[in-house]
């Protein structure tokens, strides 16, 4: 899995302020809309619909909001570290401080599941989490997440 093809350094953000999960989804929609030239309201609608099915908070302070977006030709991602952890209604009730947002096209559902699985496994590594949580810049955050991801 070549994660640098899915997430780029310019799509990595730290210190994002959001008081609630629903406000975080709005901010995520705005950032992904700018990054991928897609209407933010379409992204928000799809992220909210997915979140209503069940929380994308996978535990250990991690959330992976994801949605199918019409017109997307390949999976693309945004990596976010929140300024303050927030309640993403994660399965373990731990507040969320890191979100990997994955958008994909309807025709990429098979590929997106592979990406989602790879990201979820990667974000469960204690070493990786420690590195990205102490990163002081977006570049450090990105580098820590991407390190050795081509294997």
């Amino acid at each position: 899995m070549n994660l640098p093809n899915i997430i780029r350094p310019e799509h990595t953000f730290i210190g994002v302020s959001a008081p609630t999960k629903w406000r975080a989804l709005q901010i995520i929609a705005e950032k992904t809309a700018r990054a991928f030239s897609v209407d933010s309201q379409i992204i928000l609608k799809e992220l909210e619909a997915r979140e209503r099915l069940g929380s994308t908070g996978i535990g250990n302070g991690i959330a992976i909001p994801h949605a199918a977006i019409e017109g997307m030709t390949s999976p693309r991602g945004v990596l976010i570290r929140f300024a303050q952890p927030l309640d993403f209604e994660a399965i373990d009730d731990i507040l969320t401080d890191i979100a990997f947002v994955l958008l994909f096209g309807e025709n990429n559902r098979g590929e997106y599941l592979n990406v989602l699985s790879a990201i979820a496994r990667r974000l469960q590594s204690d070493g990786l989490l420690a590195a990205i949580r102490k990163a002081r810049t977006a570049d450090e955050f990105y580098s820590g997440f991407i390190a050795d991801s081509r294997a």
Side-chain angles (χ1 to χ4, degrees):
M1 178 73 45
N2 194 346
L3 288 176
N5 289 340
I6 297 164
I7 182 169
R8 301 218 166 102
E10 62 270 22
H11 302 147
T12 304
F13 307 93
I14 64 172
V16 174
S17 293
T20 67
K21 170 172 81 168
W22 302 104
R23 179 64 183 124
L25 292 175
Q26 291 173 337
I27 293 166
I28 287 167
E30 293 163 6
K31 289 187 177 304
T32 54
R34 281 192 298 275
F36 308 126
S37 300
V38 178
D39 184 299
S40 66
Q41 290 306 307
I42 291 171
I43 295 170
L44 180 60
K45 177 184 166 207
E46 296 302 325
L47 288 174
E48 288 177 337
R50 170 55 191 89
E51 205 63 36
R52 281 192 289 277
L53 294 174
S55 177
T56 56
I58 64 170
N60 205 16
I62 308 298
I64 308 180
H66 54 281
I69 304 296
E70 188 175 329
M72 300 272 314
T73 57
S74 62
R76 299 299 306 274
V78 171
L79 188 60
I80 294 174
R81 190 174 72 202
F82 296 107
Q84 298 294 323
L86 61 132
D87 186 359
F88 227 89
E89 301 169 358
I91 57 173
D92 62 1
D93 292 324
I94 293 175
L95 297 179
T96 296
D97 62 337
I98 296 172
F100 182 93
V101 184
L102 182 62
L103 303 180
F104 53 93
E106 278 294 333
N107 296 334
N108 304 107
R109 283 199 180 264
E111 184 181 2
Y112 118 83
L113 289 173
N114 291 334
V115 173
L116 195 61
S117 176
I119 290 164
R121 279 191 311 272
R122 195 155 182 71
L123 289 172
Q124 293 302 313
S125 163
D126 290 337
L128 179 133
L129 288 176
I132 64 177
R133 283 189 167 123
K134 69 179 183 181
R136 291 184 289 187
T137 66
D139 286 341
E140 287 177 10
F141 187 46
Y142 177 80
S143 295
F145 179 77
I146 292 298
D148 300 323
S149 68
R150 291 177 183 91

